[in-house]
Amino acid sequence: MRLAVVSSDGENVDLHLGKGKSVYVYDYDDELKFVEHREVEIADDSKHQGGKVIKACADCDVLIAVQYGFKSKIKAEDANIKLVMDEGPVCDVLKRYIDHVEFMRK
């Protein structure tokens, strides 16, 4: 499973999806592995830019941000990406999501 988190510093999930200039990508099979950092061109004064972040994460299964709008939800569904709202340290956010997935698989 490929996961992406929207983060200003790589340490915290702390951005709205539409302001996600910076995305950190991880792979999870049996363990979590950092893949890469991706930059997204986001205009500071524009709204509804979540689609740019979704497009930059087209190879991801899950995209985690503090918040996202309805248009982004539709675009993510069309791209077959699961959007998740969470915030806090990246390691904690990823652990919560992975623990939830593992629990649901039982």
Side-chain angles (χ1 to χ4, degrees), residues 78-97:
D78 290 346
N80 217 18
I81 297 173
K82 179 178 179 69
L83 282 183
V84 175
M85 282 191 213
D86 201 352
E87 64 183 296
V90 169
C91 58
D92 293 350
V93 167
L94 291 171
K95 182 178 183 334
R96 273 194 295 272
Y97 184 76

Side-chain angles (χ1 to χ4, degrees), residues 12-77:
N12 297 288
V13 177
D14 58 355
L15 295 172
H16 186 285
L17 184 67
K19 298 294 181 185
K21 292 183 178 184
S22 187
V23 179
Y24 294 80
V25 179
Y26 296 82
D27 279 339
Y28 177 75
D29 288 313
D30 290 331
E31 63 182 51
L32 191 63
K33 181 176 71 173
F34 176 73
V35 175
E36 67 181 325
H37 171 234
R38 298 177 185 173
E39 293 290 330
V40 182
E41 284 192 41
I42 298 290
D44 290 330
D45 58 348
S46 293
K47 294 183 178 184
H48 309 294
Q49 298 181 85
K52 292 178 181 179
V53 181
I54 292 165
K55 191 172 189 176
C57 297
D59 62 328
C60 297
D61 302 298
V62 178
L63 180 52
I64 304 172
V66 170
Q67 198 172 28
Y68 54 84
F70 185 73
K71 286 184 179 185
S72 292
K73 180 177 169 131
I74 299 299
K75 288 179 181 183
E77 286 174 2

